[in-house]
Amino acid sequence: MAFLPERDVSNANEYLDIVIPSGINLARNFIVQNSGSAIIMIGGGYGTLSELSYALSLHKKVISLKSQWENISTDIVKASSPKDAVEKAILNL
């Protein structure tokens, strides 16, 4: 599932089964972070940094899979693989 920042669904990747085009640009970052119990951060640019800020402010569990932002806070848990990230995200939920 993806909650796209733009209104054009053609920007979604082929692996998504549900695509929600929002048209609200970066404002969607707060909605995405507020919706989850845990956040898995992969890579990322400034949009990811924005989402990370919201997630930490909302006291969400944040798991990093080789993100450039993973050292910003000691609250971020580092994962070694996608499987490890998912396991750490669901642990204690």
Side-chain angles (χ1 to χ4, degrees), residues 15-54:
Y15 301 104
L16 297 168
D17 53 355
I18 299 171
V19 178
I20 302 169
S22 71
I24 59 174
N25 297 313
L26 291 177
R28 87 169 217 323
N29 291 357
F30 177 79
I31 295 168
V32 170
Q33 299 315 309
N34 194 47
S35 300
S37 298
I39 309 304
I40 298 176
M41 174 173 66
I42 304 169
Y46 292 122
T48 301
L49 179 59
S50 166
E51 292 175 342
L52 171 61
S53 177
Y54 286 131

Side-chain angles (χ1 to χ4, degrees), residues 28-93:
R28 87 169 217 323
N29 291 357
F30 177 79
I31 295 168
V32 170
Q33 299 315 309
N34 194 47
S35 300
S37 298
I39 309 304
I40 298 176
M41 174 173 66
I42 304 169
Y46 292 122
T48 301
L49 179 59
S50 166
E51 292 175 342
L52 171 61
S53 177
Y54 286 131
L56 292 173
S57 296
L58 294 166
H59 307 287
K60 302 290 181 163
K61 183 188 289 187
V62 178
I63 313 301
S64 173
L65 185 57
K66 300 181 182 175
S67 173
Q68 66 179 353
W69 309 116
E70 65 188 17
N71 295 317
I72 283 181
S73 170
T74 57
D75 293 328
I76 299 170
V77 177
K78 295 177 186 174
S80 59
S81 68
K83 181 181 179 193
D84 184 41
V86 171
E87 288 172 351
K88 288 178 175 177
I90 63 175
L91 186 67
N92 300 319
L93 283 184

